[in-house]
Amino acid sequence: VKICWFDDHRLGLVEDGQVFDVSPVLEMLEQPRYPRGRGDLLIANLERLRPLIAQAARQARGAPIDTVRFLSPVAQPTKIIGVPVNYLKHAQEAIDQIEVFTKRHQGSIREQGLFLKANSALVGPGEGVKLRLPDRRSDHEMELGVIIGKQGSDIPESEALSHVAGYAIALDMVVRGSEDRSFRKSIDTYAVLGPWMVTADEIADPAKLNLRLAVNGEVRQSSNTGLMILNIQEQIAWASQFYTLYPGDIIMTGTCEGVSQVRPGDVMQCSLDGVGEMTVAIS
Ligand code: MN
């Protein structure tokens, strides 16, 4: 199923081009107490709530998807994990344009390690990306977003996919420069996830998905998740050797070649097999 947050933090089920408001189901979640445990409460309880969500959708009136404002399909991740240089052709373009990408980060993924983006950067496509440093180059990075469903540490590769709740389109937006990635990639709105989460049971093989990004109608990035250097299982296993993964944690699995600068007024159109399409405005 496709689960989303939309408009004024309404919970939605997406079906046949319509969004059904299933927010009453949220009352089935435990009431928040301070301090609460780590992890996104909805994602952690999603399996249990799925029948109730389906039931609520049957009683709800649908709204066409182009009439709602999509927020991030994960409300409260404990972290957003980034995977650098995970497609060979992107690694090559980073070497070819060293003046843009700088020499700070070199070597293979394993040598560079993973990085984190601040949770406060997370938005949905309906919120758009707001450039904050107009004098510097900001780029799009179109990626497959993996959403963790089950807590785990030292997860073996053989069990990694059982920890995945679902998938979404991810944009790892970045200001180019020499500072640490966590600084340049954590600007407010520089982590876009959407337009909804497709649950893992609907994706037969996450390593066979075409992904594409166009800016103002011109295709800039086009690739397939099968071309990742480190696959999803390896990413989950590796990340969980360093930190516990919690429900709702997001992995941005790396960008393919074709990253390019965006400017205010641009519109990014993203599509990912099995998930769908989203449009994100730059201001
Ligand atoms: Mn990236």
Side-chain angles (χ1 to χ4, degrees), residues 133-196:
L133 304 167
D135 298 338
R136 295 181 57 177
R137 173 174 160 166
S138 283
D139 282 10
H140 54 77
E141 292 191 355
M142 165 78 185
E143 312 193 357
L144 168 67
V146 173
I147 298 157
I148 297 295
K150 193 168 73 175
Q151 183 175 327
S153 191
D154 290 322
I155 301 166
E157 283 176 29
S158 59
E159 288 172 23
L161 290 182
S162 74
H163 284 257
V164 176
Y167 302 91
I169 300 172
L171 285 170
D172 174 19
M173 302 299 296
V174 54
V175 168
R176 297 292 172 205
S178 59
E179 306 99 322
D180 192 83
R181 280 194 181 93
S182 66
F183 191 54
R184 294 181 290 108
K185 295 190 163 202
S186 290
I187 295 174
D188 292 353
T189 75
Y190 273 44
V192 188
L193 193 72
W196 40 69

Side-chain angles (χ1 to χ4, degrees), residues 72 74-82 115-123 132 171-173 180-193 243 248-250 252:
S72 163
V74 179
Q76 293 182 330
T78 76
K79 53 191 160 307
I80 303 168
I81 299 163
F115 63 91
L116 296 176
K117 291 166 75 83
N119 291 349
S120 49
L122 183 63
V123 292
R132 199 144 163 169
L171 285 170
D172 174 19
M173 302 299 296
D180 192 83
R181 280 194 181 93
S182 66
F183 191 54
R184 294 181 290 108
K185 295 190 163 202
S186 290
I187 295 174
D188 292 353
T189 75
Y190 273 44
V192 188
L193 193 72
Y243 15 69
D249 282 359
I250 297 158
M252 295 197 172

